[in-house]
Amino acid sequence: MSKAVESDQHVSAPVLAAYGYCETVTGQQARNFAYGIRLLPTAKRRAMSAVYAFSRRVDDIGDGTLPPDVKAERLDDTRALLARVRAGEVEEDDTDPVAVALAHAARRFPIPLGGLDELIDGVLMDLRGETYETWDDLKVYCRCVAGAIGRVSLGVFGTEPGARGAERAAEYADTLGLALQLTNILRDVREDAADGRTYLPADDLAKFGCSAGFDSAVPPAGSDFAGLVHFEVRRARALFAEGYRLLPLLDRRSGACVAAMAGIYRRLLDRIEREPEAVLRGRVSLPGHEKAYVAVRGLSGLDARTVSRASSRAALRRRV
């Protein structure tokens, strides 16, 4: 029996309880993510919740108020826990439900757990207060905190047998993660500034007169803040266009999940593009009914078919 089709009848009560805990964390802490994974079959949904709950723990350490040295120790402890999961040393009666759920998910699906190590590396970059001179520099960070999660998620989703181009699925998942993270950075630019963090590349900030930062609800004096936002939006759109090539490689429900999560962020990007200064006044978000529409659109397969047709047209143009 393949790892991906193990019957739920063989999932023990302690493991089910651990998954239940992870699903509660996901539902409370990640509404955009939860909208997507509810479209998955039960086993995949549980596994994705375990991945999220572990990732949330890592992020919470980085975003918390503990002294930097204590944060570093806790990240080391979390990495050690991940090593135990990888080595198959977490028993079902372990007192850590996230570890129990992630260990079970990793036995059931070919999850590349090294991606979660990369997430820890990315949070350590935050802890060191790293800044980014160029987009190439920022991409390293984005690949750690988001691209790696895309690759981890692909381990749960899998690809359709015989799908053309499946060998590039991990690359597309990584790129889609970059698109989501850049959208996050634009959405949270004021919130991050309040925490003393600047993610947008220094080269881009200087180009648009925004090197002074974003410590108020209005753009820096004399800056072209709208120009900066539109520049980054175009970059994010190009990443989405490339990353969306993952969709036709997935089964219907996994593709719907990815399309729903990515679709929510693309619509956020649309809002940010229409009103750039809104990100300086507060967090831009979508109402529930709009998220539901995006989920239905994903479940219909419309996004996957659109991407597939676009890829076919591009291939035809190359042959001509």
Side-chain angles (χ1 to χ4, degrees):
M1 179 179 294
S2 75
K3 295 169 76 175
V5 296
E6 174 191 345
S7 171
D8 281 357
Q9 294 176 353
H10 301 299
V11 181
S12 68
V15 171
L16 288 175
Y19 277 132
Y21 173 84
C22 293
E23 289 190 284
T24 298
V25 170
T26 303
Q28 291 177 345
Q29 302 293 326
R31 291 183 180 148
N32 289 348
F33 187 81
Y35 259 93
I37 67 170
R38 70 174 61 178
L39 303 175
L40 292 171
T42 300
K44 290 185 178 183
R45 187 188 70 243
R46 288 173 178 161
M48 289 298 294
S49 293
V51 168
Y52 176 81
F54 183 90
S55 303
R56 179 77 264 167
R57 178 178 295 180
V58 174
D59 286 341
D60 284 347
I61 293 170
D63 293 337
T65 58
L66 294 171
D69 59 333
V70 178
K71 288 184 179 183
E73 289 176 7
R74 295 205 174 181
L75 289 171
D76 285 343
D77 291 343
T78 306
R79 198 188 294 275
L81 175 63
L82 182 60
R84 287 181 55 220
V85 170
R86 184 184 291 110
E89 297 173 355
V90 175
E91 302 296 334
E92 291 186 357
D93 60 355
D94 194 284
T95 57
D96 187 334
V98 176
V100 172
L102 184 61
H104 185 270
R107 289 193 297 271
R108 189 165 194 176
F109 298 99
I111 299 174
L113 293 174
L116 297 176
D117 271 310
E118 292 181 55
L119 173 63
I120 295 171
D121 292 339
V123 173
L124 284 170
M125 294 169 76
D126 280 337
L127 200 57
R128 294 192 295 267
E130 293 195 19
T131 55
Y132 309 97
E133 289 296 315
T134 67
W135 167 238
D136 283 342
D137 296 333
L138 180 58
K139 275 196 295 189
V140 174
Y141 171 78
C142 291
R143 285 211 159 96
C144 285
V145 299
I149 300 303
R151 286 178 265 120
V152 167
S153 300
L154 182 62
V156 176
F157 298 143
T159 56
E160 280 282 75
R164 291 185 60 187
E167 70 280 357
R168 299 190 63 185
E171 175 189 336
Y172 297 145
D174 184 274
T175 301
L176 195 55
L178 264 64
L180 300 179
Q181 186 62 24
L182 183 53
T183 304
N184 267 337
I185 288 170
L186 287 172
R187 181 195 64 186
D188 298 340
V189 66
R190 176 77 187 283
E191 184 178 321
D192 289 333
D195 291 335
R197 296 175 181 172
T198 301
Y199 290 103
L200 291 175
D203 281 359
D204 296 350
L205 296 176
K207 185 186 304 181
F208 293 95
C210 294
S211 297
F214 312 107
D215 57 358
S216 75
V218 296
S223 69
D224 180 12
F225 180 73
L228 171 67
V229 170
H230 290 153
F231 177 80
E232 303 297 349
V233 165
R234 288 194 295 273
R235 174 176 280 156
R237 287 196 192 287
L239 292 168
F240 272 117
E242 180 70 8
Y244 260 52
R245 297 176 71 177
L246 175 66
L247 296 183
L249 307 180
L250 306 177
D251 67 74
R252 179 172 174 266
R253 292 176 71 176
S254 295
C257 171
V258 174
M261 288 189 287
I264 288 170
Y265 278 86
R266 283 187 69 182
R267 292 174 84 88
L268 278 175
L269 203 62
D270 291 341
R271 291 196 167 203
I272 292 169
E273 182 180 38
R274 287 196 300 269
E275 193 178 359
E277 291 186 22
V279 299
L280 298 178
R281 298 192 293 269
R283 175 170 286 202
V284 178
S285 62
L286 297 184
H289 68 84
E290 195 166 347
K291 292 179 183 179
Y293 166 78
V294 174
V296 170
R297 180 184 171 95
L299 192 58
S300 73
L302 179 60
D303 290 322
R305 290 195 297 273
T306 300
V307 172
S308 183
R309 286 195 296 269
S311 298
S312 297
R313 289 195 298 268
L316 179 60
R317 285 196 298 270
R318 286 194 296 271
R319 287 197 297 270
V320 172

